[in-house]
C-alpha cells in the first residue's frame, strides 16, 4: 500500500503524461478513519503493486527483481523478541542465495555474538558488517576491514567512565572478546544478560588501578546506562569524542563508539565494492535509528513493523514485525526470491550493465549548495535517484569551496558522506558526488536544484550561464530577493530563468533544515507552471515525511515564502525582548496580514490567497517564527543586545558570520516601499526596518501606527466573571472607562463568592484591589467593584461583558434574565461554547444562547490571541470584535481597545466565535505534538492543517461567514497562542505522555480550579462533523476526537493523517 497516490509515470523530461498540477495536490488516498479505527485502503502488496511513495507505476516484483544484495540488521529485525531467528529464516536465506542473491548481516554485534544467536545459520560463510562497520567480513569469512579506536579516545572515555560510575558502565569490544572495568556495576552485564552478548571479562586492575590494562585493539566501546540517564549521558559522550570518533545510539540504554566515519552504511559500501556489487542493486532492512544511514544509502529501504517511527519514515516499505510468522525479513526474502526467479533472467544487473543503462533516457540531477539546507535536499534527491529508474543514480552536489580544519569540505563529504561544518551527524547516500567545480556540476544536468543564498547564487549563475543544457529545468529552493528594479522586485526564480534561459520552478515551505535532516515530518509547496515538470519534481521530492503539494504558479509560492522571512525576524525580536505568546502571536499575525497586503498591492497577479494558506505561507511563517530558524535566532540575539554589529550577532546566534537572508529582504522591501512613498500603508514593515537598522529600540516594535475607527455612546458596564481572564479584561475596562466620559466610571464585576485564607474574595478585591486567587500580583483599578450577587451587579447595566467558563453560563443567565432590559448590549468573551443538540443536527453558539435567553437582538463576540497573564502584564496583544451592528461595534471597540490591547472589528460574529472554540480542539493536537516530542516542522504543519479544517467546518456551519476572518487575531493568532502556551495544549501534552490518565484527573492536577475546554468542545465538534458527513474532509479533527476518547493513541492522530507516514505496508498474503 503506497504512502501517496500514484502519479503519472514520467517518460522523459519533455514528454511526460500528467494532467494539471492542480489535480495532483496533496491528498490522502483511499485510507479511511471511521468509528475510531484507521483502515488501510489496501491490505496486501499484490493489490496495490506501486512503490516508492507513489512516484512510480512500476510493480514491486519488477523492483525486487533488480535486488542482488539484501542487508539485514539482527536485533529487532532478523531476530525475534526471544533473540533467535524467525521461523524459516535459514531456508529463506538459502533460497535467496540459490536464486542468485547475496545475504549480508549488518549488526552492532561482534561476530561471536552474532554466531551465538543465529543458530542454524553459518555466518562464517556469509558476508557481514559487524560492530556497526568496525569489522567487515567478505565472502567465506575473509576480513576486509578492521577499525580500532585511538588511544586518545579510549583514555577520554575511561576518564569519563571513572567520573560517572554512578550513571553508566563502559564496555570494550576487542574482536569477539568483551571487557568491562567492574563486573559488579549495575549496567556492566546488561549486554550479556539482555542481548546474549559474550560474558565480559574484567579489565586487569579495573577502577582500582590508576593505569588499568585496557585492551590495545579496541574495535568498539559501549556506554551503557539507564534510559532515564540517556538524555544526560548522550550529549556528554558526543561532545567528548567530537571529531575523534563516531557514535550511534543502538538501544535505549546503549551508545556505540566507533572509529571516525564508521557506521553500517560505510561498512556496507566497503563490502559491496569487495564483492563487485553496488547500492543500486541492494535492499536493506532494519528497525532502529542506528539503521537509518544504511537504509538511506540503498535502492530499496525496508523497515520492520516494530521499527521506531524515524526508521519507518525513511523506508519505502514497512514489513510485518519480527514477532509475526512469517516475520518481516522472511517475507521480504521470499518476495525478492520469487521476483528473481520470475524476472531475474530478463534483467542484467551487473555493474557494467548498470553503467550502460545509466542509461538511455535517465535524467541527471545536480544540486548547488552544501549548507545546512542543501545537505538534506541532496540526501532526499539522492534517495529518490537510487530507487527511481528515470533518474541517473549519481547526483552531483556542488559545495562552495572552503576548508574545514585544513581539509576541503568537498573531500570530507566524499570520504565521510557528512558535512561536519553545516550539518554534522547526518550523511548523504553513497551516490552523491561532491564537486567544487560549479561547471562540472552543471554539465549534462537535466535538473538543476539551487539551494544557496543570493550572493553565492549570483556567482553560480554567472559561471554556468553558457554551459547549461537548453532542455534542462531549474528548481529554486532558496528564499531570497535578488534585485530591486526600477518598478518591481525580482525574485530568485525570475533571475535564474533570465540568466539561464530555461524553465524554473520553486519548492518552499515549513522546512527547518535540522528537522528535515532528522526525518521529521515537514511539508512544502511546489510552484510550477508546467504539468509535466510538476509530475517529475513531485516524484523526486514527495515522500511520506516530506509532503509536497503543487500549485501551477511559481511566483505566488515564492512570494510568500520570501516575504515571510521578515515576520520571522519580528518573531525573534519578540523573543529577545521577552514578550509573551500573546504579543508574539499578534505581531506574527500583523506581519502576515501586511505581507499579504503588500503582495496584493504590488503583485496582484501572483498574490494567490491559496498560496498564503499553503505550506509556503502559513506553515513556513509559523515554523520560522516559532521554530529554530536562522532569522528568528539572529533577531532574538539582536534584540537582546542591539549594540552588537550584524556580523557579531550572526556569530553569537548562528556560529556563522554570514547575516541571515531576512536582513537583506527587509532592506530590499523597504527600499521599494520608499520608492513608492507608501510607508504609512505598511506600518509593520516600516517599524521592523527601523528596529533592524537601530533607528528605534527593539522594544518599540509594538508601537505601530495602525488604522483605527472611533465612535462612542455612554453606558454603564458590568463584567460577569472574575477568573484570570475575567480579571485581566476588567483591568482594561476599568482603565478605559475612567478615561472616557461616555462610560460611567464605576464597573461592577460579578465574583463567585468563595473564601480565601478565611476572608471573602469580594472583600479582598474591594479592599486590596487584587484578585489574589485567580490573578495574583496584578492590581485592579479602584473603580472595579466586586459584587457576589449577579442580579445586583446587572441592575441598570447597559453593557454586559460575559467572561466566564462556559460551564457556568446557563445558571448565570437563568438568574439575570429577569432584570436585563431589551436594549442591553452584550458581548461574549466565553471561549469554546457551542451547544449541540439532536446528535449534531442543531447548533447554537454561546452568543446565540446569550441573545436568546436575554431576549436581546444580538450578542457580540470578542476573541483573539489572549493569554490572561500576558494581557494583565501589559504585553502587546490583540483581539477581534465580531459585531454586525455598526454603532455597537464602535462602542465596544472603545471599551476594550488600548495601546497594549489592539482590537479590530468585523461583522462576522459566528466566524470570530467559532474560531475561538475550534482552536481549543487543534490545541489538543499541538499538545500531543509536544508530549510526543515531534519536531517544529511537524507541529507547524499540524497547525496549518488544523486552521484549514477549522475554516472548512465554519463555512459548512455558517455559509455567510467570511473566509478572511481566519487571518484575524481570532483565527491564526489565537491558534498560535493557544497551541504554544494555552492550558489545552499543556494538558494534552501531559495526556500524550501518559494516556492512561483521564482528562478529569489532568484538569484537577494541572489547572488549579480552572476549566479545561478542549475535550468537551471536541465532543460537540465531532457530533457536528458526523451529522454533516464531513469526516473525510476533516480527518485531523476526527482523529483528535479519536484520541480524546481513547479510541486511538495520540501518536495515531499524526500517523493517520500522514504527518508520520511510514511508507508502504508490506503484508503477508493470506
Amino acid at each position: 500500500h503506497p504512502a501517496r497516490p500514484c502519479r503519472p509515470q514520467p517518460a522523459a523530461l519533455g514528454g511526460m503524461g500528467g494532467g494539471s498540477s492542480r489535480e495532483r495536490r496533496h491528498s490522502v488516498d483511499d485510507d479511511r478513519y471511521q468509528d475510531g479505527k484507521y483502515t488501510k485502503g489496501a491490505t496486501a502488496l499484490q493489490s496495490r503493486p506501486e512503490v516508492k511513495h507513489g512516484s512510480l507505476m512500476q510493480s514491486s516484483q519488477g523492483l525486487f527483481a533488480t535486488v542482488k544484495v539484501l542487508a539485514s540488521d539482527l536485533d529487532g529485525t532478523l531476530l525475534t523478541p526471544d533473540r533467535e531467528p524467525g521461523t524459516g529464516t535459514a531456508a529463506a536465506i538459502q533460497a535467496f542465495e540459490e536464486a542468485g542473491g547475496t545475504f549480508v548481516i549488518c549488526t552492532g554485534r561482534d561476530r561471536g555474538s552474532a554466531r551465538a544467536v543465529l543458530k542454524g545459520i553459518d555466518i562464517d560463510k556469509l558476508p557481514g558488517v559487524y560492530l556497526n562497520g568496525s569489522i567487515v567480513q567478505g565472502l567465506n569469512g575473509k576480513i576486509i576491514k578492521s577499525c580500532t579506536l585511538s588511544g586518545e579516545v579510549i583514555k577520554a572515555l575511561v576518564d569519563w567512565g571513572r567520573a560517572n560510575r554512578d550513571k553508566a558502565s563502559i564496555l570494550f569490544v576487542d574482536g569477539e572478546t568483551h571487557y568491562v572495568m567492574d563486573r559488579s556495576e549495575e549496567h556492566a552485564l546488561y549486554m550479556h544478560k539482555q542481548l546474549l552478548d559474550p560474558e565480559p571479562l574484567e579489565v586487569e586492575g579495573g577502577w582500582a588501578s590508576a593505569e588499568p590494562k585496557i585492551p590495545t585493539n579496541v574495535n568498539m566501546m559501549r556506554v551503557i546506562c539507564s534510559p532515564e540517564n540517556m538524555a544526560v549521558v548522550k550529549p556528554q559522550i558526543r561532545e567528548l569524542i567530537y571529531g575523534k570518533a563516531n557514535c550511534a545510539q543502538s538501544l535505549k540504554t546503549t551508545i556505540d563508539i566507533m572509529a571516525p566515519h564508521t557506521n553500517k552504511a560505510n561498512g556496507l559500501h566497503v563490502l559491496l565494492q569487495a564483492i563487485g556489487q553496488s547500492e543500486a542493486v541492494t535492499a536493506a532492512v532494519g528497525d532502529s535509528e542506528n539503521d537509518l544511514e544504511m537504509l538511506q544509502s540503498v535502492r530499496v529501504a525496508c523497515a520492520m513493523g516494530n521499527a521506531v517511527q524515524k526508521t519507518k519514515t525513511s523506508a519505502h516499505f514497512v514489513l510485518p514485525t519480527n514477532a509475526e510468522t512469517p516475520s518481516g525479513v522472511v517475507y521480504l526474502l521470499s518476495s525478492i526470491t520469487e521476483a528473481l526467479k520470475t524476472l531475474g533472467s530478463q534483467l542484467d544487473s551487473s555493474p557494467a550493465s548498470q553503467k550502460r543503462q545509466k542509461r538511455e533516457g535517465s535524467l541527471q540531477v545536480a544540486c548547488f549548495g552544501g549548507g545546512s539546507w542543501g545537505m538534506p535536499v541532496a540526501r532526499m534527491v539522492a534517495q529518490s535517484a537510487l530507487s527511481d529508474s528515470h533518474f541517473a543514480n549519481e547526483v552531483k552536489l556542488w559545495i562552495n569551496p572552503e576548508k574545514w580544519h585544513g581539509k576541503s569540505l568537498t573531500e570530507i563529504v566524499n570520504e565521510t558522506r557528512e558535512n561536519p561544518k553545516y550539518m554534522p551527524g547526518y550523511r548523504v547516500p553513497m551516490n552523491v558526488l561532491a564537486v567544487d567545480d560549479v561547471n562540472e556540476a552543471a554539465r549534462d544536468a537535466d535538473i538543476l536544484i539551487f539551494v544557496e543564498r543570493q550572493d553565492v547564487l549570483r556567482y553560480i549563475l554567472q559561471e554556468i550561464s553558457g554551459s547549461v543544457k537548453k532542455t534542462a529545468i531549474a528548481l529554486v529552493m532558496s528564499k531570497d530577493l535578488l534585485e530591486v528594479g526600477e518598478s518591481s522586485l525580482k525574485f530568485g526564480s525570475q533571475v535564474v530563468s533570465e540568466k539561464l534561459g530555461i524553465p524554473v520552478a520553486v519548492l518552499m515551505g515549513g522546512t527547518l533544515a535540522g528537522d528535515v535532516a532528522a526525518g521529521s515530518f515537514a511539508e512544502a509547496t511546489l510552484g510550477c507552471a508546467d504539468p509535466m515538470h510538476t509530475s517529475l519534481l513531485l516524484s523526486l521530492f514527495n515522500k511520506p515525511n516530506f509532503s509536497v503539494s503543487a500549485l501551477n504558479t511559481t511566483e505566488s509560492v515564492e512570494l510568500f515564502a520570501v516575504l515571510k522571512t521578515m515576520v520571522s525576524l519580528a518573531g525573534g525580536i519578540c523573543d529577545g525582548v521577552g514578550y509573551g505568546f500573546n504579543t508574539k502571536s499578534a505581531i506574527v499575525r500583523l506581519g502576515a496580514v501586511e505581507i499579504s497586503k503588500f503582495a496584493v498591492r504590488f503583485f496582484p497577479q501572483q498574490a494567490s490567497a491559496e498560496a498564503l494558506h499553503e505550506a509556503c505561507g502559513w506553515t513556513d511563517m509559523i515554523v520560522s517564527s516559532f521554530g529554530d530558524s536562522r532569522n528568528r535566532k539572529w533577531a532574538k540575539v539582536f534584540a537582546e543586545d542591539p549594540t552588537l554589529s550584524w556580523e557579531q550577532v550572526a556569530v553569537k546566534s548562528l556560529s556563522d558570520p554570514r547575516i541571515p537572508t531576512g536582513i537583506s529582504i527587509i532592506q530590499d522591501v523597504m527600499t521599494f516601499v520608499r520608492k513608492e512613498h507608501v510607508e504609512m500603508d505598511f506600518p509593520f514593515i516600516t517599524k521592523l526596518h527601523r528596529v533592524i537598522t537601530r533607528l528605534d529600540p527593539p522594544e518599540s516594535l509594538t508601537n505601530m501606527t495602525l488604522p483605527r475607527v472611533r465612535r462612542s455612546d455612554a453606558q454603564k458596564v458590568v463584567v460577569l466573571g472574575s477568573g484570570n481572564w475575567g480579571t485581566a479584561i476588567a483591568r482594561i475596562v476599568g482603565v478605559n472607562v475612567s478615561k472616557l466620559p461616555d462610560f460611567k466610571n464605576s464597573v461592577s464585576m460579578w465574583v463567585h463568592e468563595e473564601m480565601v485564607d478565611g476572608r471573602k474574595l469580594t472583600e479582598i478585591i474591594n479592599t486590596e484591589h487584587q484578585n489574589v486567587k485567580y490573578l495574583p500580583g496584578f492590581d485592579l483599578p479602584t473603580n472595579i467593584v466586586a459584587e457576589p450577587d449577579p442580579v445586583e451587579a446587572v441592575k441598570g447595566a447597559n453593557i454586559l461583558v460575559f467572561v466566564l467558563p462556559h460551564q457556568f453560563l446557563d445558571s448565570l443567565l437563568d438568574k439575570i434574565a429577569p432584570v436585563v432590559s431589551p436594549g442591553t448590549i452584550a458581548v461574549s468573551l466565553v471561549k469554546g461554547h457551542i451547544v449541540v443538540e439532536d446528535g449534531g443536527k442543531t447548533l447554537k453558539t454561546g452568543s446565540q444562547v446569550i441573545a436568546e435567553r436575554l431576549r436581546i437582538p444580538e450578542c457580540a463576540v470578542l476573541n483573539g490571541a489572549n493569554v490572561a497573564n500576558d494581557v494583565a502584564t501589559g504585553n502587546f496583544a490583540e483581539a477581534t470584535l465580531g459585531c454586525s451592528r455598526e454603532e455597537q461595534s464602535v462602542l465596544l471597540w472603545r471599551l476594550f481597545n488600548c495601546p497594549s490591547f489592539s482590537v479590530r472589528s468585523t461583522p462576522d460574529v459566528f466566524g470570530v466565535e467559532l474560531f475561538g472554540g475550534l482552536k481549543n480542539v487543534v490545541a489538543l493536537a499541538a499538545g500531543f505534538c509536544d508530549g510526543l516530542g515531534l519536531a517544529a516542522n511537524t507541529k507547524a504543519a499540524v497547525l496549518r492543517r488544523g486552521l484549514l479544517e477549522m475554516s472548512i467546518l465554519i463555512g459548512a456551519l455558517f455559509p455567510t461567514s467570511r473566509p478572511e476572518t481566519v487571518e484575524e487575531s481570532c483565527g491564526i493568532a489565537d491558534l498560535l497562542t493557544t497551541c504554544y502556551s494555552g492550558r489545552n495544549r499543556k494538558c494534552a501534552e501531559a495526556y500524550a505522555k501518559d494516556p492512561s490518565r483521564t482528562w478529569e484527573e489532568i484538569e484537577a492536577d494541572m489547572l488549579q480550579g480552572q476549566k479545561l475546554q478542549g475535550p468537551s468542545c471536541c465532543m460537540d465538534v465531532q457530533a457536528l462533523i458526523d451529522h454533516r458527513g464531513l469526516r473525510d474532509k476533516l480527518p485531523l479533527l476526527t482523529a483528535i476526537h479519536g484520541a480524546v476518547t481513547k479510541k486511538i493513541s495520540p501518536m495515531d492522530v499524526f500517523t493517520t493523517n500522514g504527518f508520520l507516514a511510514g511508507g508502504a505496508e508490506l503484508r503477508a498474503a493470506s
Side-chain angles (χ1 to χ4, degrees), residues 634-646:
W634 183 95
K636 178 178 183 294
V637 172
F638 171 79
E640 290 169 344
D641 187 359
T643 64
L644 296 176
S645 69
W646 287 351

Side-chain angles (χ1 to χ4, degrees), residues 705-828:
T705 307
L706 302 176
R708 309 287 187 223
V709 178
R710 300 175 181 270
R711 289 178 56 187
S712 67
D713 283 313
Q715 304 286 339
K716 176 192 169 179
V717 181
V718 174
V719 176
L720 294 164
S722 58
N724 65 337
W725 181 216
T727 307
I729 210 69
R731 295 181 82 232
I732 293 175
V733 170
V735 171
N736 280 355
V737 299
S738 68
K739 295 178 180 178
L740 298 171
D742 309 287
F743 300 100
K744 292 185 178 181
N745 186 60
S746 179
V747 176
S748 293
M749 180 172 72
W750 171 60
V751 177
H752 178 69
E753 192 68 279
E754 52 189 307
M755 304 301 290
V756 179
D757 295 332
R759 299 174 62 193
K760 293 180 178 180
L761 182 56
T762 54
E763 177 189 342
I764 297 173
I765 292 173
N766 289 333
T767 56
E768 299 179 13
H769 306 292
Q770 190 175 123
N771 189 336
V772 295
K773 179 164 186 180
Y774 295 110
L775 198 65
F778 296 97
D779 290 336
L780 283 164
T782 57
N783 62 338
I784 299 294
V785 179
E787 171 57 58
D789 183 349
V791 175
E792 287 300 318
V794 166
K795 284 180 180 178
N798 304 108
I799 299 176
L800 300 178
V801 180
F802 290 88
V803 55
L804 70 162
H806 67 79
Q807 294 92 332
F808 305 126
L809 183 60
D810 284 341
S811 61
L812 174 65
L813 292 174
D814 287 339
K815 293 175 183 177
I816 67 172
V819 296
V820 174
S821 62
T824 300
I825 297 172
V827 57
S828 173

Side-chain angles (χ1 to χ4, degrees), residues 379-415:
R379 185 158 77 168
M380 282 192 291
V381 169
Q383 290 165 4
S384 295
L386 276 173
S387 58
D388 190 330
S389 61
H390 296 91
F391 303 105
N393 275 355
E394 184 179 85
V395 173
K396 291 181 179 177
L397 171 64
W398 177 79
I399 298 177
N400 197 10
E402 57 180 307
K403 300 286 186 181
W404 175 253
H405 296 304
K407 197 171 184 179
S408 162
L409 267 182
T410 302
E411 186 179 350
I412 292 173
V413 171
N414 284 332
E415 287 180 0

Side-chain angles (χ1 to χ4, degrees), residues 3-4 52-53 286-289 292 295-296 301-319 379-380 383 515-522 541-547 934 938 1051 1054-1055 1058-1064:
R4 289 282 178 266
K52 183 57 178 171
H53 317 318
D287 72 305
S288 71
E289 291 187 30
L292 281 175
L295 298 183
Q296 291 164 348
C302 303
M304 298 296 291
N306 49 280
V308 299
Q309 191 60 46
K310 283 186 179 180
T311 305
K312 289 182 179 180
T313 301
S314 297
H316 305 116
F317 296 106
V318 174
L319 309 175
R379 185 158 77 168
M380 282 192 291
Q383 290 165 4
D515 288 350
V516 173
S520 299
F521 179 85
F541 282 97
N542 192 35
K543 303 173 185 293
N545 62 328
F546 194 79
S547 176
L934 304 185
T938 306
M1051 180 65 80
F1054 309 108
T1055 56
F1059 296 109
L1060 295 173

Side-chain angles (χ1 to χ4, degrees), residues 51 59 254 376 378 403 508 650 707 719 891:
V51 297
S59 72
T254 310
K403 300 286 186 181
M508 299 180 179
V719 176
L891 179 64

